Amino acid sequence: MHGHHARPSSSTLFGSTSVPSSDRTTGRHSRPGRLSTRLRRRIAVYGAIEFLSTHDPDDPGPGEECLLLVHDRQVVGEIDYRMCARCARGVITGVALDERFHGSGLGTRALSHLRARHPGTAWRSTLTLRATRDLLRRMRIPTADPGPFCAHAG
């Protein structure tokens, strides 16, 4: 039988059901381990991150405050901000994340937490670095002048 050796071991009416082993393990453009690494980081972000604030709710005046992001009793990020409860205005002055949590959604989650902690506050930012500027643009937080942000700032 000529050509019998080229016939697939399992065939159906529409062709072979077997997939070459090289196509099963990795795709053409995939990076092995990349998806699992991102998934592990995202799980860590949404499960084990605590938010600790230096905000004093009894102090209505403006002041420098900080939202700490803590993972396993270690600070992995912080958001520095000033806020005035009388004016209902807030200015984000700094965003810092540990390198291993970049691209994990932690920045978005932290800014969402800050908005939920201070409802009704109009947020602005003085940050101009590309990474933080892109994050703030995605969160729809406009850029402000670095000067005083309200009449109560002194």
Side-chain angles (χ1 to χ4, degrees):
M1 280 175 107
H2 183 66
H4 181 66
H5 65 282
R7 198 176 285 176
S9 61
S10 172
S11 64
T12 64
L13 181 61
F14 298 108
S16 174
T17 58
S18 63
V19 177
S21 63
S22 63
D23 290 344
R24 271 186 263 146
T25 56
T26 60
R28 183 175 180 174
H29 297 288
S30 69
R31 295 181 188 156
R34 178 133 169 115
L35 180 63
S36 63
T37 303
R38 258 190 306 185
L39 185 59
R40 268 186 269 130
R41 274 191 308 203
R42 193 166 292 268
I43 289 170
V45 165
Y46 286 95
I49 298 291
E50 293 179 68
F51 297 104
L52 304 174
S53 179
T54 62
H55 175 68
D56 183 13
D58 296 330
D59 183 20
E64 289 290 326
E65 300 174 24
C66 183
L67 179 69
L68 297 175
L69 296 88
V70 180
H71 180 281
D72 290 334
R73 296 183 293 162
Q74 188 176 30
V75 176
V76 296
E78 64 181 65
I79 296 180
D80 298 317
Y81 62 99
R82 295 182 315 185
M83 146 166 198
C84 180
R86 286 188 235 164
C87 295
R89 291 184 186 171
V91 176
I92 298 171
T93 58
V95 175
L97 293 176
D98 196 351
E99 184 74 29
R100 63 188 167 148
F101 289 102
H102 285 198
S104 66
L106 182 58
T108 303
R109 183 167 181 232
L111 290 176
S112 296
H113 181 83
L114 190 62
R115 281 182 166 168
R117 184 171 278 211
H118 305 286
T121 302
W123 291 99
R124 296 197 173 276
S125 173
T126 59
L127 302 175
T128 57
L129 295 175
R130 181 179 177 207
T132 53
R133 189 178 62 227
D134 291 345
L135 170 66
L136 295 166
R137 186 178 301 132
R138 281 193 309 269
M139 294 295 296
R140 295 192 171 130
I141 297 176
T143 305
D145 295 329
F149 69 102
C150 77
H152 303 106

